[in-house]
Amino acid sequence: MAKKPLHFAKAFEELEAITEWFERGDADLEEGLKKFERGLELASACREKLTEVETKVKEIRLKYTVTPA
Amino acid sequence: MPDPAVLSVGQYLELVNDRLREAAAFEFSIEGEVSDFRVAQGKWVSFDLKDELAQAVLKCFMTAWQLPHKVEDGMRVRVTGAPKVYERFGTLKLNVQSLELVGEGALRRAYEALKKKLVDEGLFDPSRKRQLPRFPERIGLITSRDAAAYGDFLRIVNNRWGGAEVMHVSVHVQGKEAVHEIIEAFQYFNALAPEDRPDALVLIRGGGGLEDLHAFNDEAVARAVYGSAVPVVCGVGHERDESLCDFVADVRASTPSNAAERVVPSREDVGYEIAMTERLFEDRMREMIDRMRRPIERLSASAELLVQGKALRFSQVTGSFEASFSRFLPRVSERLLASERVLRSVSPERVLERGYAIVRSGKGIVRDTGALDIGSDISVQLAEGSFEAEVQRVEGKGKTKLF
């Protein structure tokens, strides 16, 4: 099965990791700017994903082997 | 009349059994109450089927795997099967082919008995409940396409969330096929390669009586839920309905709609969370920058103070310069005008205007009569114009005086 361009769960996980990094507070500005930029990028990608898509239904047909009663 | 044929006991019973098979097999269901229910070696089930009114007893025999429910003494059941006389004991027994419980009371008791058994085995143990992934990409849905539950589930999943893939296996949720179809659906999903497996399985159906819910109360189905490698959400009917699958599932949803709510998050909630996260990033970033900026600001503030001091002094100096310059300028122009006046009053033109004349000889301006020769030419300049003349007399000497 093809992977989607944005793996929402992974993106959200990364977002949470960045949040945690910021919450730790022992920050240097250079690193902070990088994370900040990455965080906003992820956030907007996630937000876009939220509004973008419909849930798809895929029917799976099983050939039931009828067990003797 | 010929003598009747003589048969051995064994031969006779064989004959009887042949006739019994022809006469009775599968044509009747026999209803009665179970007593003296026994299971030998976990396989062989025997019980008596009693008829309270006629005080009749039918001995029954079957294998444990044919038992669809947990059966106990006192339950009313309906059986089908083949009667047989067992040679060794000379007793008639019914080889049971199918057994079903009769009446809500019997089903209820069977349900409670199986529930207790599964509780004792630890199938409902809360410690083994797995957490569902927060953002499932793929959801395995096991239900009937025709059930209202199917539409409800998809509608709510779609309203709450987007982009998930629902892999739907349509099964009967009641009736004969339900149990093995549901079990096979579980087998199908669990047999997929781990990367193709759904993140959660959802088993749902509408509500109903104990009889309708039999598949969801089936021991084999409960064990399929228990054995699933993928976490299972179970949602049956209305809030008041319960099934054994509910208790075994990792998440027990109260209804099919609730199952949808449990399996996917809501867009609004997640959107809000993302917005909060963004704001937090901005706040932290600003704090970080502020922390860095404070020493810089202190520095630049003192630098500014220094510059301000210089600027003040500069403006003071230029101010006084301008003031003195503005006082100085009219004085200069006054003196300029005075000089001009003086200069203008001494200019030769002004003298000539008063009636004086300038006399020039070949040697230049004549200031002394000694420089004049009688008979020489001179030029005389007046205020307006000039003329030539001849010197005739100088200091009384020379040509005759004309006038």
Side-chain angles (χ1 to χ4, degrees):
Chain A
M1 242 159 270
K3 280 278 159 203
K4 288 152 196 154
L6 176 83
H7 194 291
F8 189 90
K10 286 215 176 88
F12 204 86
E13 233 169 69
E14 195 181 338
L15 207 56
E16 281 175 323
I18 293 173
T19 307
E20 207 187 303
W21 185 89
F22 271 115
E23 290 293 20
R24 272 203 308 275
D26 56 334
D28 94 301
L29 189 63
E30 200 76 11
E31 184 76 11
L33 269 170
K34 262 187 241 157
K35 300 239 183 223
F36 179 65
E37 206 174 319
R38 177 69 180 149
L40 292 192
E41 187 189 329
L42 283 168
S44 84
C46 283
R47 212 203 312 268
E48 207 172 290
K49 181 89 179 174
L50 278 189
T51 53
E52 162 194 21
V53 273
E54 284 264 297
T55 292
K56 295 178 287 292
V57 181
K58 182 181 165 199
E59 292 286 345
I60 291 149
R61 284 167 207 288
L62 298 187
K63 276 189 200 156
Y64 297 107
T65 55
V66 177
T67 51
Chain B
M1 202 174 165
D3 284 343
V6 176
L7 298 175
S8 69
V9 174
Q11 282 171 327
Y12 180 70
L13 289 181
E14 205 174 307
L15 185 74
V16 168
N17 280 337
D18 278 350
R19 292 292 152 84
L20 280 174
R21 257 200 300 281
E22 284 160 25
F26 305 111
E27 282 181 26
F28 311 102
S29 285
I30 308 135
E31 184 175 322
E33 193 185 296
V34 174
S35 73
D36 201 20
F37 182 89
R38 291 162 198 233
V39 181
Q41 291 146 35
K43 275 187 255 178
W44 316 116
V45 176
S46 63
F47 57 91
D48 292 348
L49 203 56
K50 281 190 182 166
D51 186 337
E52 311 87 327
L53 298 173
Q55 292 211 332
V57 174
L58 178 63
K59 297 220 172 269
C60 294
F61 178 81
M62 66 195 296
T63 56
W65 62 267
Q66 286 177 299
L67 268 183
H69 305 285
K70 183 109 172 138
V71 173
E72 286 182 335
D73 286 353
M75 287 181 176
R76 282 197 81 73
V77 297
R78 240 173 242 163
V79 296
T80 61
K84 188 185 173 189
V85 178
Y86 280 77
E87 296 87 340
R88 276 182 69 186
F89 306 104
T91 51
L92 180 97
K93 284 196 179 179
L94 186 76
N95 280 331
V96 176
Q97 297 290 345
S98 74
L99 178 149
E100 59 182 290
L101 301 179
V102 179
E104 190 75 4
L107 283 168
R108 171 64 54 192
R109 286 177 57 190
Y111 170 81
E112 294 298 341
L114 180 57
K115 186 174 170 183
K116 185 177 181 308
K117 177 181 163 193
L118 299 183
V119 167
D120 292 346
E121 269 187 55
L123 264 68
F124 303 164
D125 196 343
S127 69
R128 66 166 293 277
K129 306 278 184 211
R130 290 163 292 191
Q131 218 176 359
L132 299 176
R134 186 151 175 226
F135 308 110
E137 298 236 305
R138 228 171 273 142
I139 300 162
L141 176 62
I142 304 172
T143 193
S144 164
R145 192 183 298 102
D146 307 322
Y150 172 75
D152 289 349
F153 180 84
L154 287 184
R155 183 171 46 78
I156 291 168
V157 163
N158 233 338
N159 285 347
R160 282 175 68 81
W161 192 239
E165 183 187 350
V166 175
M167 303 168 78
H168 176 225
V169 173
S170 188
V171 297
H172 286 90
V173 290
Q174 61 191 75
K176 283 207 302 292
E177 299 91 350
V179 169
H180 77 86
E181 284 183 3
I182 292 171
I183 290 170
E184 277 177 36
F186 272 98
Q187 283 167 350
Y188 166 79
F189 283 124
N190 278 285
L192 290 173
E195 66 270 19
D196 293 337
R197 265 182 217 159
D199 302 306
L201 292 182
V202 178
L203 175 63
I204 50 173
R205 60 150 291 151
L210 258 185
E211 236 147 326
D212 297 328
L213 294 179
H214 81 93
F216 285 64
N217 288 327
D218 185 88
E219 185 172 346
V221 172
R223 288 190 191 280
V225 172
Y226 180 77
S228 174
V230 180
V232 178
V233 181
C234 187
V236 174
H238 315 294
E239 309 253 355
R240 63 172 192 282
D241 290 321
E242 64 162 56
S243 76
L244 294 181
C245 286
D246 281 335
F247 297 118
V248 185
D250 295 283
V251 173
R252 179 189 177 184
S254 55
T255 62
S257 304
N258 181 241
E261 287 161 8
R262 302 289 290 271
V263 86
V264 292
S266 101
R267 266 190 205 96
E268 282 79 47
D269 291 355
V270 175
Y272 177 74
E273 201 177 323
I274 290 170
M276 292 307 288
T277 305
E278 277 176 317
R279 198 184 305 166
L280 179 128
F281 286 172
E282 272 165 33
D283 288 351
R284 289 290 171 279
M285 208 57 227
R286 196 163 298 135
E287 283 164 24
M288 211 184 276
I289 291 166
D290 282 350
R291 259 206 311 280
M292 300 288 166
R293 194 156 57 191
R294 236 165 274 136
I296 297 170
E297 261 173 9
R298 268 206 298 280
L299 190 71
S300 71
S302 49
E304 205 173 308
L305 216 62
L306 194 74
V307 170
Q308 271 176 357
K310 294 265 189 215
L312 191 65
R313 268 171 49 205
F314 175 72
S315 76
Q316 279 169 348
V317 168
T318 54
S320 62
F321 167 73
E322 276 165 18
S324 53
F325 184 74
S326 65
R327 285 195 300 276
F328 166 77
L329 203 57
R331 272 205 323 264
V332 169
S333 64
E334 245 170 66
R335 274 170 54 190
L336 213 57
L337 283 172
S339 313
E340 206 179 23
R341 259 199 308 277
V342 170
L343 281 173
R344 216 178 290 149
S345 68
V346 297
S347 94
E349 282 85 3
R350 296 292 293 260
V351 178
L352 294 178
E353 273 170 21
R354 293 209 297 269
Y356 293 95
I358 297 169
V359 179
R360 290 184 179 88
S361 73
K363 299 169 191 153
I365 289 175
V366 180
R367 291 189 174 82
D368 183 353
T369 52
L372 291 172
D373 298 321
I374 294 167
S376 65
D377 288 339
I378 53 169
S379 100
V380 179
Q381 188 187 350
L382 304 176
E384 297 292 330
S386 61
F387 64 89
E388 307 291 316
E390 191 188 288
V391 179
Q392 292 185 335
R393 293 168 64 88
V394 176
E395 300 288 348
K397 291 173 190 124
K399 290 187 179 171
T400 315
K401 202 175 173 180
L402 293 177
F403 42 86

